Amino acid sequence: MASNPLGIHALVWVGGWTPEEAEVAISSSARIGYDLIEIPALDPSRIDVVSTREMLERHGLQASVSLGLAPGTDINSEDVECVNRGRDVLMAALEVSRGVGSRYLGGVIFGAMTKYSAPTTERARANSVAVMKDFAQEARSCGTTIGLEFVNRYESNLLNTAQQTLDYLDLVGEDNVVVHADVYHMNIEETDFRTPILVCGDRLGYVHVGESHRGYLGTGSVNFPEFFGALREVGYAGPITFESFSSSVVDPLLSNTLAIWRNLWSDSTDLATQALAFMRAGLAED
Ligand code: MN
């Protein structure tokens, strides 16, 4: 039996992070049997670090922190002021991550999470790499791993595939930066679900599991047997976090960016329970 920490994105439960919302998300995840909750920190200032950490410890749950940069804080830009604002957001998110006791911070942190109207440029890419190198060094000083989540073409013009992410990692040159693979995005951009995982090998450090329509696992077009098989093949032992979004739980900062227009589920507990069983079964198969 694989021992990957199994996680769930907070937006399965709540659209914000008031202490009341945090208590619902953390206690519900722990009760169902998850090991980890992923807390979105698009606005790091809305997370109360002290109470969040207390709740996580009380419920015996690990945490990871994720975010996507906004067009106004894009480090994949030629605008130096914009790049500097992005650096500030990343450093604030790292402070939150450290404060809640997370050892992982990832997401679309190499640039804005948005639909770009043009390809990236050499200068914008170089700005992103330079900030990421500084950020990785800062993260290392507090024992934090940085994950780069490559996403589909409508959400980034910089990293859409595993290979692009590995090439970017080589430019950054810091060993606490890993590839974050999300099967939802792989379904759109990759040739299959096995090759990119083998290409990443031990540089894969975080995984998102999501269905092609972002709803119940196993009801869309993602080839999960192939994907879980590839994770087993490379001996992946890191976190695997379930991500799903519905218009029944809305985060104003995140849901519109991800184009969550439809109601794919309304019962968070049923969804989360099914997903945990689905992941365990997928990892256990021969
Ligand atoms: Mn994801």
Side-chain angles (χ1 to χ4, degrees):
M1 190 75 180
S3 58
N4 306 77
L6 297 180
I8 184 165
H9 194 282
L11 206 51
V12 169
W13 305 111
V14 293
W17 203 254
T18 64
E20 293 75 23
E21 289 170 316
E23 180 69 34
V24 167
I26 290 170
S27 64
S28 302
S29 302
R31 186 180 64 246
I32 288 174
Y34 282 94
D35 306 303
L36 177 150
I37 187 165
E38 181 174 323
I39 304 171
L42 285 89
D43 176 3
S45 69
R46 75 178 183 174
I47 296 173
D48 185 304
V49 167
V50 173
S51 67
T52 299
R53 187 181 192 124
E54 182 277 321
M55 287 177 215
L56 289 165
E57 287 173 354
R58 178 156 43 84
H59 290 285
L61 207 62
Q62 303 169 47
S64 61
V65 168
S66 64
L67 74 154
L69 292 172
T73 56
D74 190 359
I75 63 172
N76 169 35
S77 166
E78 296 192 356
D79 178 343
V80 174
E81 288 181 13
C82 186
V83 170
N84 286 338
R85 285 193 298 270
R87 181 197 306 263
D88 291 345
V89 170
L90 292 179
M91 293 299 179
L94 180 61
E95 193 62 25
V96 165
S97 176
R98 191 181 61 80
V100 301
S102 160
R103 308 294 296 272
Y104 176 86
L105 191 155
V108 187
I109 57 175
F110 43 81
M113 184 165 65
T114 191
K115 183 178 184 303
Y116 288 80
S117 56
T120 190
T121 65
E122 281 304 313
R123 195 141 61 97
R125 180 188 170 98
N127 285 341
S128 171
V129 168
V131 170
M132 194 56 62
K133 191 170 182 68
D134 288 349
F135 186 51
Q137 290 171 357
E138 186 69 23
R140 180 181 293 110
S141 70
C142 58
T144 300
T145 297
I146 298 299
L148 306 178
E149 181 178 9
F150 60 93
V151 293
N152 71 74
R153 65 192 69 189
Y154 307 109
E155 297 178 27
S156 172
N157 67 357
L158 184 58
L159 303 183
N160 300 140
T161 68
Q163 186 59 58
Q164 287 178 315
T165 309
L166 291 167
D167 294 344
Y168 179 101
L169 278 186
D170 288 342
L171 295 174
V172 173
E174 300 291 335
D175 62 10
N176 62 324
V177 188
V178 298
V179 181
H180 170 160
D182 181 329
V183 71
Y184 165 82
H185 299 290
M186 289 171 62
N187 184 52
I188 297 170
E189 302 294 348
E190 303 281 9
T191 57
D192 63 86
F193 298 98
R194 175 173 175 267
T195 312
I197 299 304
L198 266 57
V199 166
C200 289
D202 63 7
R203 292 201 280 178
L204 181 67
Y206 199 86
V207 166
H208 271 166
V209 166
E211 192 46 276
S212 53
H213 47 48
R214 299 276 208 186
Y216 274 81
L217 297 180
T219 66
S221 59
V222 168
N223 186 341
F224 282 107
E226 184 178 65
F227 181 66
F228 285 123
L231 294 181
R232 291 196 304 269
E233 193 172 343
V234 299
Y236 177 69
I240 302 174
T241 295
F242 171 55
E243 214 177 28
S244 183
F245 305 98
S246 169
S247 57
S248 69
V249 180
V250 171
D251 175 348
L253 289 176
L254 186 54
S255 299
N256 292 347
T257 303
L258 299 179
I260 307 305
W261 314 136
R262 285 190 291 141
N263 185 359
L264 285 152
W265 46 259
S266 51
D267 185 336
S268 302
T269 299
D270 186 65
L271 176 83
T273 304
Q274 187 267 357
L276 185 60
F278 189 94
M279 290 191 287
R280 282 177 174 159
L283 290 165
E285 267 170 29
D286 286 315

